[in-house]
Amino acid sequence: MASCISESKRGITIPPVPEVTEKARRDAAIAFLTDAIDAAPNSSENYYKRSLLLLENEKIKEALEDINNAIGIKPNVGSYFQAKALILRASGEPRLALEAASKAEVLNIESPELFTLLGDLYQQLRQFGTARSYLRKALQISPNNGETYFYQGEIAAKTADTTTALALYQQTLGLKPSFLPAYLKLIQVHTNLKQYDLALLYSQEALKYHPKSAPLYFQRGNTYQRAWKFDSAVQCYSKAILLDTNFVQASFSAGMIYFKTRAFKFALPYFERTYKHNPKYPDARYYVAQCLEFTGQYEKAEEYYNQMLSENNQDYRAIDGVSRAQRKQLYGEYMPNFDLKYDTAAFPKFEMPKRSSVDTNLLKPIQSKGIN
């Protein structure tokens, strides 16, 4: 203190300590472990530690490679198989994750984290009895583990016990206030119950802990959309895309809002983004073709419709789309060889066109032919 005061009196300022984010700390630790692995490539512990850090950074493929290297060096370490199960669960492979977690249990790992992991994996596979058994074991060892209550809530939700599920999700947050999956579930359930204010309240609370969570903004967008607040919904979807450029579900949802309001020009970039990042996303290509057609880009629209036909020559939507696109290239937006004009530029996919004008002077009453 005296030193700082004297330095201050002489006009010498002490520089502030720079803020370091958790990701920056992990990146520094990963760099350190990488140097250690380069120096001693036979150290399984370094691979194991780096795999967990890579998992936190959501680099699943690299994390799996590291833990496999650790297991290759020392194949009988239970904690290594537990880490592998965590990585496989994050990659959406619950069955393979369960195999790894079971090996960890066989190798005498008896921790609440492992039992909670096993309970989650069994409930994902809808083996609820076994899942409950493992979750009870976890609570006997550690009764204040919030994640364990969350997975009990998942079982309750899947067995249509919504009241119990909500209570368990809230209990999870009471023990672990920053647990994002519980917030996402509470937002989803309250949105489905049309309790939009409560869902938005939970999403706002979650943003305090996770201000850069793309799934959180996506769920918030869903709530706004269900509440008919489309501008706010699009803003949330756009924020989710900004945070995660590969979040195709958000871009497709934003595109659908514009499409349903016939703002095809604004819908098109969202559908194109969806199709670019995931060409197999359901109906993404079809809506790209629709938006191209309704914005006057008939040749491009025909190309997309033909791509759909090349995969399924019985796709009636593509067949109709090709027919319309070819006709519009020849005649524009109006049907040829008819006295009455039909403007089809702004209609959705299967709405019948309406007469834009009728000259009543040309209409004549039907003459009765009588009875023969």
Side-chain angles (χ1 to χ4, degrees):
M1 285 287 292
S3 174
C4 290
I5 292 170
S6 63
E7 294 293 333
S8 177
K9 287 180 178 178
R10 284 184 279 171
I12 302 174
T13 57
I14 298 174
V17 178
E19 288 189 17
V20 181
T21 63
E22 285 297 321
K23 187 177 185 305
R25 290 191 184 96
R26 288 196 298 269
D27 290 340
I30 289 170
F32 176 81
L33 288 169
T34 300
D35 292 338
I37 289 169
D38 292 339
N42 292 324
S43 174
S44 61
E45 192 69 14
N46 288 334
Y47 282 110
Y48 163 69
K49 291 178 180 177
R50 191 172 70 171
S51 72
L52 293 176
L53 292 169
L54 289 168
L55 174 61
E56 289 186 45
N57 278 356
E58 299 182 354
K59 296 182 177 180
I60 307 300
K61 184 178 179 181
E62 293 90 336
L64 188 59
E65 289 177 0
D66 269 6
I67 200 61
N68 283 334
N69 287 332
I71 292 171
I73 297 169
K74 284 190 178 180
N76 295 318
V77 181
S79 58
Y80 293 178
F81 284 99
Q82 183 176 339
K84 184 174 182 178
L86 289 168
I87 295 166
L88 288 169
R89 179 179 67 173
S91 66
E93 299 283 354
R95 293 189 182 278
L96 295 177
L98 182 58
E99 291 179 12
S102 299
K103 288 180 182 177
E105 185 183 18
V106 169
L107 292 168
N108 298 321
I109 298 293
E110 294 186 358
S111 67
E113 292 79 15
L114 177 61
F115 291 144
T116 299
L117 173 61
L118 284 163
D120 175 33
L121 294 171
Y122 275 113
Q123 72 85 16
Q124 286 189 42
L125 298 172
R126 306 191 74 81
Q127 298 181 32
F128 299 133
T130 309
R132 289 191 182 99
S133 175
Y134 276 109
L135 293 173
R136 282 195 297 268
K137 285 183 182 180
L139 288 175
Q140 287 172 0
I141 301 172
S142 178
N144 295 322
N145 188 352
E147 292 187 30
T148 310
Y149 292 101
F150 173 76
Y151 296 121
Q152 285 185 329
E154 290 286 83
I155 295 172
K158 290 179 180 178
T159 53
D161 189 352
T162 305
T163 303
T164 302
L166 287 173
L168 288 165
Y169 293 149
Q170 290 166 352
Q171 191 171 1
T172 299
L173 292 180
L175 295 168
K176 194 172 182 179
S178 63
F179 192 58
L180 179 60
Y183 283 111
L184 294 174
K185 286 293 181 179
L186 283 166
I187 296 165
Q188 182 181 358
V189 171
H190 285 298
T191 298
N192 291 338
L193 293 173
K194 298 184 179 180
Q195 299 171 350
Y196 305 126
D197 290 340
L198 197 52
L200 291 172
L201 184 64
Y202 276 113
S203 67
Q204 190 63 39
E205 187 67 22
L207 284 171
K208 296 177 183 177
Y209 298 101
H210 307 280
K212 295 184 178 180
S213 170
L216 188 53
Y217 277 101
F218 175 73
Q219 287 285 18
R220 190 173 174 84
N222 283 345
T223 303
Y224 277 126
Q225 184 175 357
R226 292 283 297 275
W228 294 82
K229 297 180 179 179
F230 297 132
D231 289 342
S232 297
V234 170
Q235 288 179 2
C236 288
Y237 291 143
S238 299
K239 182 68 174 179
I241 296 166
L242 186 64
L243 292 169
D244 183 358
T245 55
N246 295 321
F247 205 142
V248 294
Q249 207 171 354
S251 58
F252 187 83
S253 296
M256 284 304 298
I257 288 176
Y258 282 122
F259 187 87
K260 288 179 179 179
T261 55
R262 301 184 182 182
F264 305 116
K265 179 180 178 181
F266 297 105
L268 180 57
Y270 287 104
F271 289 135
E272 286 180 330
R273 174 186 284 272
T274 304
Y275 182 69
K276 177 182 177 182
H277 285 86
N278 185 2
K280 294 184 179 181
Y281 194 90
D283 286 337
R285 179 164 47 190
Y286 172 67
Y287 282 108
V288 170
Q290 286 269 282
C291 289
L292 288 169
E293 178 186 343
F294 293 147
T295 54
Q297 303 177 64
Y298 309 128
E299 291 185 11
K300 286 186 178 180
E302 185 182 356
E303 290 177 10
Y304 280 96
Y305 287 133
N306 281 324
Q307 289 176 19
M308 294 170 63
L309 283 175
S310 67
E311 295 179 2
N312 178 12
N313 58 9
Q314 301 298 319
D315 191 332
Y316 67 94
R317 299 179 306 175
I319 293 171
D320 291 343
V322 168
S323 176
R324 288 195 310 272
Q326 290 177 347
R327 176 186 58 75
K328 289 179 180 180
Q329 288 179 64
L330 291 173
Y331 303 104
E333 294 294 333
Y334 297 101
M335 294 286 286
N337 301 324
F338 283 91
D339 292 333
L340 302 180
K341 295 182 178 180
Y342 292 82
D343 185 357
T344 62
F347 289 108
K349 46 187 175 181
F350 300 122
E351 185 177 340
M352 290 297 293
K354 299 180 177 63
R355 292 173 177 172
S356 58
S357 61
V358 177
D359 188 354
T360 55
N361 294 323
L362 299 177
L363 298 179
K364 297 180 180 180
I366 299 175
Q367 299 294 328
S368 173
K369 295 183 179 179
I371 300 174
N372 295 327

